[in-house]
Amino acid sequence: MIVLPRAFYARPTLTVARELLGCLLVRTLPDGQRLTGRIVETEAYIGQEDLACHARAGRTPRTEIMFGPPGHAYVYFTYGMHWLLNAITEPEGQPAAVLIRAVEPLEGLDRIAAHRAGRQRREWTSGPARLTRAFGIDGALNGCDLVGPPGRAALSLIAGPPVPDADVRTGPRVGLGSTPEPWRSLAWRLWVADSPDVSKAR
DNA sequence: CCGAGGATTATCT
DNA sequence: GATAATCCTCGGA
């Protein structure tokens, strides 16, 4: 198991979003249970000029974490009920992040299913708020360091088998209804072709 | 299958 | 006071 090093994150956000495809999200629950998922969908949010990025308004209590060092989690609350997980990217001082939009459940299926009681398997982790629910991720993990030994860290990202370019698809980011062009249409959403766990675009 | 509308609150204007 | 990097349920075809 190779934990992605901080240098992995301290690069252009689109590069990180691309290379996170195929990597493993490892969540260690408070009771020690480990949940693992293969990342199959990401989105890039890049800097104050990106009018879809929370950092567009500059430093605020919420966005402060995005200005900090890379390799940390940015977990925020939206729509009054959902938590979304991001990985901070780019060198310190440049606010940017990759949103983890979907994973393929690999390990801890019982607990994942329990967190998603009553849902079909395909709905367990096929969306940014679905996967945080399935993996027990909420605001308590905002700011936590992603660069740490899995099993000791609450959240880790592990190198996985690379996804070949031929299997990568791109398109506009999801849910940016009122964001002006060109930001709304930039192809900053990336996913693994043919994965049944990719979210449905709306 | 599909589209419309509601849920529910932190955050920023 | 409006909006939100979403999800779910319900009604109709």
Side-chain angles (χ1 to χ4, degrees), chain A residues 110-132:
Chain A
D110 294 354
R111 290 298 279 287
I112 289 171
H115 288 151
R116 300 289 293 144
R119 270 81 184 189
Q120 299 297 312
R121 182 185 174 110
R122 216 165 264 175
E123 298 173 330
W124 287 354
T125 56
S126 55
R130 288 174 174 178
L131 78 87
T132 57

